[in-house]
Amino acid sequence: IYVGSLNHGRALFVLISAIKLLGDKLVLVGDGDVSPKLKKFVSENHLQQQVLFTGMLEPEKIQELLHDSYIGVNILEETGLNNYASLTNKFFDYIHCGIPVITNDYPEYREFNEKFPVAILLKEINPETGAFAISQLKTDRGLYEKMKNSCIRAREEFCWQKEEIKLRELMV
C-alpha cells in the first residue's frame, strides 16, 4: 500500500514497475498531479487488475486498508533536502498499523531503523530494488515477523501520549 499524495517525486512509476515485475497487487490511496499519468501508465501496461487507485478516502477507511495491508511503501525521489532530512507521516502511519515499510536509505530513516528495524532501506530507487525488497518481505517470514514486532515496539515509543509530554516541556 502507498498512502499519500500522488505527486512528482514519490517514485510511483518505479513502484508500479516493481509491481509489474512481481505480479503482485498495489493499492494507491490518494490523489495528485500525476494521477492521470499514473492511470495511463497502468492502463498501457495492462495492470488494472494489479493496481487499485482509491482516490481520497476518509481517515477511518485508510486505517482499515492499512490494517489489511502487508507492506507500506514510502519511496521518495531525491527532489530536495526536505525529503532527505525528514521522516514522513506515512512512515509512522504504517508503523502504527504494524506493517513493515520499504523506504529510502536516508539518514533519519537509517537512524530510526537502527533502533527499531521496521523497514527495508533502499540505497537505489529503481523497479528491480523495489521488487527485490517486496519479494524479500514476502518470502522471509522471520524477517517480516521481526519487522512487524519492531513496528509494535516503535508505536509504543512514538505516540501522541509521549510526544505531547515533550511538546509541553518545550512550551514551559
Side-chain angles (χ1 to χ4, degrees), residues 19 23-26 42-43 45-52:
I19 294 299
D24 282 345
K25 294 194 184 272
L26 170 65
V42 166
S43 179
N45 285 277
H46 312 288
L47 299 170
Q48 298 92 326
Q49 298 302 313
Q50 290 173 256
V51 180
L52 170 67

Side-chain angles (χ1 to χ4, degrees), residues 19 37 45 48 52 63 71 79 82 87 104 108-110 112-113 118-119 121 125 128 143 156 160 170:
I19 294 299
K37 290 179 183 175
N45 285 277
Q48 298 92 326
L52 170 67
Q63 289 300 308
I71 300 168
T79 57
N82 183 55
L87 297 169
N104 300 74
E108 295 298 321
Y109 292 107
R110 191 177 318 120
F112 188 98
N113 212 48
V118 298
L121 305 175
I125 306 302
E128 292 76 19
L143 174 65
E156 292 169 1
W160 171 244
L170 290 173

Side-chain angles (χ1 to χ4, degrees), residues 1-120:
I1 192 167
Y2 169 89
V3 176
S5 298
L6 305 184
N7 291 339
H8 175 74
R10 307 297 172 98
L12 296 168
F13 290 98
V14 171
L15 177 57
I16 292 169
S17 296
I19 294 299
K20 181 180 180 181
L21 290 173
L22 294 169
D24 282 345
K25 294 194 184 272
L26 170 65
V27 177
L28 296 170
V29 179
D31 204 357
D33 58 2
V34 298
S35 293
K37 290 179 183 175
L38 288 169
K39 290 176 182 176
K40 182 178 179 189
F41 183 73
V42 166
S43 179
E44 288 172 348
N45 285 277
H46 312 288
L47 299 170
Q48 298 92 326
Q49 298 302 313
Q50 290 173 256
V51 180
L52 170 67
F53 292 89
T54 68
M56 303 297 281
L57 296 174
E58 295 292 325
E60 297 79 24
K61 182 63 178 165
I62 295 171
Q63 289 300 308
E64 282 179 37
L65 286 172
L66 285 172
H67 284 288
D68 291 340
S69 297
Y70 195 74
I71 300 168
V73 182
N74 176 50
I75 305 173
L76 302 166
E77 296 168 5
E78 291 187 43
T79 57
L81 188 57
N82 183 55
N83 285 347
Y84 183 77
S86 63
L87 297 169
T88 63
N89 289 335
K90 75 174 74 38
F91 179 73
F92 290 99
D93 290 340
Y94 300 151
I95 290 168
H96 274 258
C97 287
I99 57 174
V101 183
I102 297 172
T103 193
N104 300 74
D105 188 11
Y106 287 167
E108 295 298 321
Y109 292 107
R110 191 177 318 120
E111 183 179 335
F112 188 98
N113 212 48
E114 286 171 3
K115 186 172 182 184
F116 298 100
V118 298
I120 292 182

